[in-house]
Amino acid sequence: MCFMAIDDLDEGSKKDKWFLDSGCSRHMTGDESKFAFLTKRKGGYVTFGDNAKGRIIGQGNIGNGTSSLIESVLLVDGLKHNLLSISQLCDKGFKVIFEASHCIIKDIQNDKTIFMGHRCDNVDAINISKYDGHDRCFSSMHDQSWLWHRRLGYANMDLISQLNKDKLVKGLSKVNFQKDNVCEACQMGKQIKNSFKNKNFISTTRPLELLHMDLFGPSRTPSLGGKSYAYDIVDDFSRYTWVLFLSQKNETFYEFLKFCNKVQNEKGFTITCIRSDHGREFENIDFEDYCNKHGINHNFSAPRTPQQNGVVERKNRTL
């Protein structure tokens, strides 16, 4: 609770006074230095009592830099006073009570007095500088549904509506929670991949037309020959699998070179296409030069999408 004596309203504190105005449609000020957060904007005017117009040049939150005291305040060019809109306070769920010598702003839900102003020169004013800022004021009843969506851990709008209906969250605004747009954070954090359906047919017509390749390791238990890596090659047509054991990953190309010469002589077919992931053991200058020289098409699966190379990935899990 903040108390302000009439004696405090000297010349030095006039810039900190906020006048409660029933004829003001929005909170507004002309002092840009008061904003803890400000978004510049173009367009829009407010009309003063003498029908003069002031240009709106921004909107933001008034505060002490660590917490917001008043939210949704307009920055109006040329405005000489700080005005609090009574209608905007009431829309946010507050009750404003005027007495002969002072005014009180209360939270309707818990009947707590959050601000007390005093009458001076026939107007009611609140001195914001006297407020300690430990508790948030005028913002706990924020009417932006998507802000409450973020405050409540990106909860579903239907869930927030149910919480609001059952009055399970203190201070939750009585606003209409609708999913009228897409939350970017939810889209990034909750999106899922479409499933990769298995093919019910073989797309190749002969052996060695397409080879699936993958390398896994180092294994905790080496082979009898002291090898820690396994290089798998699966023929797409016959699903025949070759497993080559390696001591180091940099032996991959040389084992592939020996494998190509041997298997093509044995089977009487040439290798047309190979498929692998983007591992550096496959995506390097040696593989590229060899494939270009012998007319082999080297396909790569998309990053972080092992399903596209699922034929050999499934083989790895069974080894």
Side-chain angles (χ1 to χ4, degrees):
M1 184 184 301
C2 175
F3 295 94
M4 179 188 66
I6 296 178
D7 295 338
D8 292 333
L9 293 176
D10 55 14
E11 291 297 328
S13 64
K14 283 185 177 180
K15 65 178 182 179
D16 296 320
K17 288 190 300 183
W18 287 77
F19 298 98
L20 290 162
D21 190 350
S22 60
C24 184
S25 60
R26 300 294 300 274
H27 306 319
M28 60 185 69
T29 181
D31 188 355
E32 184 176 347
S33 64
K34 293 184 178 299
F35 287 86
F37 171 79
L38 177 65
T39 301
K40 294 297 184 68
R41 54 181 285 189
K42 294 182 179 180
Y45 293 87
V46 296
T47 304
F48 303 133
D50 59 353
N51 289 327
K53 293 184 180 296
R55 185 166 56 91
I56 300 173
I57 58 178
Q59 180 175 342
N61 302 338
I62 300 297
N64 55 14
T66 58
S67 64
S68 298
L69 307 185
I70 312 174
E71 293 187 349
S72 301
V73 181
L74 298 180
L75 176 62
V76 180
D77 187 25
L79 185 61
K80 302 299 183 182
H81 302 284
N82 310 316
L83 304 179
L84 289 178
S85 170
I86 294 178
S87 61
Q88 191 171 351
L89 293 177
C90 294
D91 290 341
K92 288 181 176 292
F94 296 98
K95 178 169 62 175
V96 184
I97 304 172
F98 291 95
E99 301 289 350
S101 61
H102 64 277
C103 64
I104 299 173
I105 300 176
K106 284 189 174 184
D107 186 344
I108 296 177
Q109 290 191 355
N110 53 28
D111 198 34
K112 177 183 178 182
T113 299
I114 54 176
F115 258 126
M116 178 176 289
H118 286 77
R119 184 174 177 178
C120 180
D121 295 331
N122 293 325
V123 293
D124 289 281
I126 296 174
N127 194 336
I128 297 297
S129 65
K130 300 297 182 180
Y131 181 63
D132 58 14
H134 293 301
D135 297 319
R136 294 172 63 88
C137 174
F138 303 151
S139 59
S140 60
M141 302 294 293
H142 207 291
D143 56 2
Q144 294 184 8
S145 59
W146 287 99
L147 178 59
W148 279 107
H149 167 71
R150 296 192 294 271
R151 284 176 174 173
L152 298 177
Y154 297 89
N156 185 277
M157 284 298 183
D158 294 334
L159 174 60
I160 301 178
S161 297
Q162 190 65 38
L163 295 174
N164 195 10
K165 179 181 178 182
D166 298 336
K167 299 181 180 180
L168 299 176
V169 177
K170 291 183 178 180
L172 186 59
S173 301
K174 297 295 182 181
V175 298
N176 188 18
F177 293 97
Q178 290 184 347
K179 189 176 181 180
D180 50 3
N181 57 53
V182 177
C183 175
E184 294 184 2
C186 289
Q187 189 178 33
M188 294 294 294
K190 300 178 183 179
Q191 65 182 356
I192 60 174
K193 296 180 180 179
N194 291 329
S195 61
F196 287 74
K197 297 181 179 180
N198 294 329
K199 293 195 305 182
N200 297 324
F201 61 94
I202 302 298
S203 56
T204 51
T205 58
R206 63 170 178 81
L208 303 186
E209 184 176 349
L210 172 62
L211 297 179
H212 303 271
M213 304 188 304
D214 192 27
L215 181 75
F216 74 88
S219 176
R220 294 180 181 178
T221 305
S223 67
L224 295 177
K227 311 292 186 178
S228 300
Y229 293 87
Y231 179 21
D232 301 335
I233 303 175
V234 181
D235 177 50
D236 185 78
F237 181 76
S238 64
R239 289 299 195 267
Y240 189 85
T241 303
W242 295 267
V243 180
L244 311 177
F245 294 98
L246 312 178
S247 298
Q248 301 293 333
K249 294 176 68 173
N250 57 10
E251 300 175 3
T252 304
F253 172 72
Y254 303 102
E255 290 296 328
F256 174 74
L257 202 62
K258 293 190 295 182
F259 168 80
C260 288
N261 295 331
K262 179 180 179 180
V263 75
Q264 288 180 123
N265 288 334
E266 288 182 352
K267 307 302 179 183
F269 296 104
T270 57
I271 299 173
T272 304
C273 181
I274 59 176
R275 179 175 298 162
S276 69
D277 56 25
H278 282 273
R280 301 306 300 171
E281 64 272 13
F282 299 117
E283 190 175 13
N284 53 57
I285 190 64
D286 293 330
F287 262 96
E288 183 179 353
D289 290 344
Y290 182 84
C291 291
N292 291 336
K293 182 178 180 180
H294 294 85
I296 299 175
N297 185 16
H298 192 173
N299 293 336
F300 295 97
S301 58
R304 295 175 295 279
T305 312
Q307 297 89 340
Q308 290 187 346
N309 200 25
V311 173
V312 68
E313 293 285 351
R314 286 188 291 270
K315 287 287 186 180
N316 284 344
R317 287 196 291 269
T318 60
L319 294 176

